[in-house]
Amino acid sequence: MRAIVVNEWGGPENLVEREIERPEPGLGEILVRVHAAGVNPVDWKTRASGALITWAETPIVGWDVSGTVEAVGPGVTLYAPGDEVYGMPHFPRQAGGYAQYVAAPARHFARKPASLDHVRAAALPLAALTAWQALVDTAGVSAGQRVLVHAAAGGVGHLAVQIAKARGAYVIGTASAGKHELLRELGADEVVDYRTTHFEEAVADVDVVIDAFGGDYGQRSLSVLKPGGHLVTLPGPDGIPADTRGVRASWVLVEPDLKGLEEIAALVEQGLLKPLVDTVLPLEQAARAHEIGELGRTTGKIVLTVAQA
């Protein structure tokens, strides 16, 4: 099969196309013929250094996949060949999404939302699961709460806005002015231009903050939280302020999650969640996809399409 492998840790030019052996599904696993693979910041961050991820002998990045079940391993009852699925297998182990086939545990996938094509379905798993696990599983967002989402037009952010809104929250997002109209269309009740306004001077009495930036955003976000509020940081534990008296602070590392994927698919089918795709490129242009992503200017997601032999 064709795959984009990391020739050596470093820049995008180290993503090269190779023919490698096709995986076979083991016990409890399915083999998925990949139609599209989402591109996430973790892809280019780990490509640069190899840090954090448990890699196979041949490093292949990519965790978002949407495709068709090609074969099932012993013990699998959820799926049969021909079923359309989407998922985020193995994270934080190598999944090998930038390839024609992926083998992984059956329960790392869910049935693809019927209303989405494979490109838009591939834009969902990692970012939507991150938003779901931060908002629902960790912060327990409920109707009437005030939720602040930083980087609200980004890959995780635009989905977090919609998930919080679907749960009845009042949603505030930070984004550049050019993205405000889009965020209002997605359900944001209030939008702050982080380039011209210090959000902590414009926002108050927040129940939950989703911080996708890290750095000083965590510390600054504490001042807008109500007593007992919850700061959820996504980039890593370094984003948790040392002093969080009166509020809670958590770091979320996304996990494969069948139930979460099914909840996300249900929101899609109800018309409450729409993934935004910024750029679509063929698999062989994975290096270009990373170059675009590292500029930090995308709205929504970048997706690679995977042609079959």
Side-chain angles (χ1 to χ4, degrees):
M1 70 172 184
R2 290 188 305 119
I4 302 297
V5 308
V6 183
N7 193 42
E8 60 179 275
W9 308 120
E13 69 279 3
N14 291 312
L15 294 173
V16 297
E17 184 176 335
R18 284 189 191 165
E19 285 285 336
I20 65 172
E21 187 175 349
R22 193 182 87 170
E24 295 297 330
L27 289 169
E29 292 188 335
I30 58 175
L31 179 68
V32 176
R33 180 160 52 95
V34 180
H35 294 289
V39 178
N40 294 286
V42 68
D43 298 7
W44 56 79
K45 290 177 181 177
T46 56
R47 179 220 69 222
S49 67
L52 302 177
I53 302 301
T54 303
W55 297 102
E57 184 177 349
T58 302
I60 304 172
V61 296
W63 285 270
D64 277 343
V65 298
S66 182
T68 305
V69 176
E70 184 81 3
V72 301
V76 173
T77 58
L78 282 180
Y79 308 114
D83 288 342
E84 293 188 316
V85 296
Y86 80 127
M88 185 202 69
H90 286 309
F91 192 85
R93 293 172 49 211
Q94 174 172 312
Y98 293 10
Q100 288 182 301
Y101 294 90
V102 167
R107 291 178 185 272
H108 288 189
F109 297 89
R111 295 186 185 277
K112 179 182 72 67
S115 61
L116 296 184
D117 58 19
H118 285 290
V119 168
R120 290 186 296 158
L124 274 174
L126 191 147
L129 280 176
T130 299
W132 181 270
Q133 291 171 11
L135 288 164
V136 181
D137 296 342
T138 302
V141 168
S142 59
Q145 289 191 316
R146 289 168 58 84
V147 175
L148 171 62
V149 179
H150 290 306
V156 173
H158 85 283
L159 299 169
V161 166
Q162 296 175 76
I163 291 171
K165 194 65 183 176
R167 294 184 69 82
Y170 181 93
V171 183
I172 308 161
T174 63
S176 58
K179 298 176 180 179
H180 286 195
E181 182 177 352
L182 169 64
L183 287 173
R184 291 191 179 97
E185 291 174 359
L186 294 178
D189 298 285
E190 193 176 328
V191 191
V192 177
D193 185 352
Y194 68 91
R195 292 179 176 175
T196 61
T197 306
H198 294 291
F199 71 86
E200 60 268 42
E201 297 176 0
V203 180
D205 296 324
V206 170
D207 295 283
V208 176
V209 175
I210 304 298
D211 172 23
F213 281 124
D216 67 347
Y217 265 73
Q219 186 65 50
R220 292 167 59 195
S221 294
L222 294 181
S223 65
V224 308
L225 282 167
K226 294 178 179 178
H230 201 152
L231 166 66
V232 184
T233 184
L234 306 179
D238 292 343
I240 298 178
D243 186 353
T244 58
R245 283 176 292 183
V247 300
R248 293 172 291 166
S250 305
W251 168 49
V252 168
L253 179 64
V254 67
E255 304 172 61
D257 182 358
L258 170 62
K259 183 176 183 296
L261 287 170
E262 290 176 337
E263 296 279 5
I264 288 161
L267 290 179
V268 171
E269 302 295 37
Q270 294 167 39
L272 299 175
L273 185 64
K274 177 177 69 174
L276 300 180
V277 176
D278 183 280
T279 304
V280 180
L281 294 169
L283 180 66
E284 55 269 25
Q285 292 188 33
R288 177 58 182 155
H290 280 215
E291 291 171 353
I292 294 170
E294 288 181 288
L295 294 174
R297 298 172 186 167
T298 56
T299 300
K301 297 291 295 294
I302 302 169
V303 177
L304 300 171
T305 56
V306 184
Q308 299 295 319

